[in-house]
Amino acid sequence: MMKLFDAHCHLQDPRILSRAPQLIATALDAGVVRFAVNGVSEKDWHLVKQMGEKYTSVIPCFGLHPWYVAERTPNWFDTLKECLESTPSAAVGEIGLDKGSRGREIDFSDQIDVFRQQLELARELKKPASVHCVRAFGDLLQIMKSIGSFPAGVILHSYLGSAEMVPEFAKLGAYFSFSGYLMSLEARKAKKMLRAVPSERILLESDAPDAFPKSELDSLFMVDGDPSIPEELQGQGGKLSSNDGSSSNFSYAVRDVSTLPKDTLNHPANIQNVLDYVASFVDMTKEELAEVSYKNAVLLFSYDGSKVLLEN
């Protein structure tokens, strides 16, 4: 079976936390052997830490996401440092910059201060950082250039930036991680951008419980108990198939992904669909891309104290 490495997800998210054991088990069965679980604020770092202690497959990551910058405590940075120091297996993330609809509500100079401190900390600790960037790629590039290169790597998670910026980011040590959000990009743009990314810089991620892929319904894993989807779609171990293993003929309104609610929860095993989609654009078989992206992630997450390093 192909091995996959989920380079960015949020299994501690309150929407799926209670189902995490089941989600991890199903994803492991589907070939996803590691999950980089990213905290987003001081409020969930302890959950990420616990998850990292409980599951050998979970790589904990601690960071203050731009959406939660306004809620930070005066001690946030010391707490973050303490989390990273007491958890040698941890990376940094999710951190970043956001000028999208939600990000516009947060003071941008505050976002920059918080982001820069965390990025400099990651560089100092020689750990990779997982970066969220929405409509702020120019600012991001400028900040990265001002700090210098990142030998330990910077993950541009759910990358939807331009093809033109890829070489500049790559030169500084960036990796480009792709999620189901890529499917919302115009195919021509997606192809151009993917082809600009060097193969040794490609990563795949689920971003679960977000970034539900726009794929064929019967190829997707559903999160059992997801309040946003009809009960008929649930309770079959995640996969949409009838008990005899054949695809169900759904007799109700949900015929394809576009008719599912926007907030449908994404299952980490749906990284398989991201693999299929990216492979269709980059002149690689699914097997080749799985191997390349897995190797890239293993290399990136093999810093001092990492679980990957210990087991490889």
Side-chain angles (χ1 to χ4, degrees):
M1 188 193 276
M2 291 182 293
K3 282 197 297 194
L4 290 170
F5 195 127
D6 188 347
H8 186 107
C9 62
H10 302 278
L11 303 180
Q12 87 291 3
D13 187 293
R15 292 170 290 169
I16 58 169
L17 177 62
S18 65
R19 304 181 190 105
Q22 183 194 352
L23 297 177
I24 289 171
T26 305
L28 286 169
D29 283 349
V32 189
V33 297
R34 292 194 185 280
F35 312 84
V37 173
N38 283 252
V40 293
S41 78
E42 290 161 271
K43 290 176 187 158
D44 73 2
W45 294 342
H46 69 288
L47 294 172
V48 172
K49 192 178 166 79
Q50 285 163 12
M51 209 170 258
E53 287 162 0
K54 185 174 178 182
Y55 299 101
T56 52
S57 56
V58 166
I59 293 163
C61 308
F62 305 112
L64 179 53
H65 187 293
W67 291 354
Y68 304 100
V69 158
E71 298 162 26
R72 72 194 186 280
T73 69
N75 297 324
W76 75 272
F77 191 65
D78 291 337
T79 310
L80 176 64
K81 272 176 40 176
E82 153 59 23
C83 280
L84 288 163
E85 278 159 18
S86 66
T87 317
S89 61
V92 176
E94 179 173 353
I95 66 177
L97 302 170
D98 194 312
K99 285 180 171 175
S101 54
R102 194 157 166 189
R104 279 200 296 271
E105 297 166 15
I106 317 283
D107 183 286
F108 196 64
S109 59
D110 270 3
Q111 287 190 40
I112 287 177
D113 284 350
V114 166
F115 173 61
R116 184 184 270 279
Q117 284 183 71
Q118 296 181 95
L119 198 55
E120 285 175 346
L121 178 64
R123 191 167 184 260
E124 188 188 311
L125 295 175
K126 298 182 171 59
K127 289 177 182 278
S130 201
V131 172
H132 164 108
C133 186
V134 174
R135 298 188 182 162
F137 285 102
D139 306 270
L140 173 62
L141 187 59
Q142 208 177 336
I143 291 167
M144 284 177 65
K145 279 181 170 168
S146 73
I147 294 175
S149 69
F150 294 83
V154 167
I155 300 161
L156 302 183
H157 116 81
S158 279
Y159 185 72
L160 293 175
S162 70
E164 288 71 22
M165 292 186 99
V166 166
E168 293 210 69
F169 279 122
K171 216 186 319 184
L172 291 163
Y175 287 73
F176 304 82
S177 187
F178 300 105
S179 73
Y181 285 128
L182 186 66
M183 298 177 188
S184 60
L185 210 58
E186 191 192 324
R188 186 181 51 85
K189 271 190 180 164
K191 183 176 185 175
K192 185 181 177 192
M193 183 259 282
L194 285 167
R195 295 200 162 194
V197 177
S199 62
E200 68 277 9
R201 296 279 166 180
I202 290 182
L203 300 171
L204 301 174
E205 63 172 86
S206 68
D207 200 18
D210 295 314
F212 190 80
K214 293 188 167 103
S215 302
E216 294 295 315
L217 253 187
D218 60 3
S219 71
L220 289 160
F221 285 82
M222 293 299 188
V223 174
D224 279 343
D226 182 345
S228 72
I229 55 174
E231 275 178 37
E232 301 95 311
L233 277 176
Q234 300 185 19
Q236 308 203 16
K239 203 74 168 169
L240 300 182
S241 62
S242 58
N243 296 332
D244 63 1
S246 62
S247 291
S248 305
N249 293 314
F250 303 128
S251 56
Y252 40 82
V254 179
R255 298 257 169 224
D256 65 64
V257 160
S258 63
T259 61
L260 286 173
K262 258 185 87 119
D263 55 355
T264 298
L265 298 175
N266 187 21
H267 194 299
N270 290 332
I271 191 174
Q272 300 271 9
N273 299 71
V274 180
L275 169 74
D276 292 357
Y277 191 72
V278 173
S280 71
F281 286 118
V282 292
D283 283 347
M284 273 191 234
T285 64
K286 285 192 309 194
E287 291 73 18
E288 286 165 343
L289 179 59
E291 192 179 341
V292 162
S293 60
Y294 181 79
K295 273 187 181 160
N296 294 344
V298 163
L299 181 68
L300 185 63
F301 285 97
S302 290
Y303 41 82
D304 274 356
S306 102
K307 293 181 172 185
V308 178
L309 196 62
L310 295 173
E311 288 173 32
N312 279 359

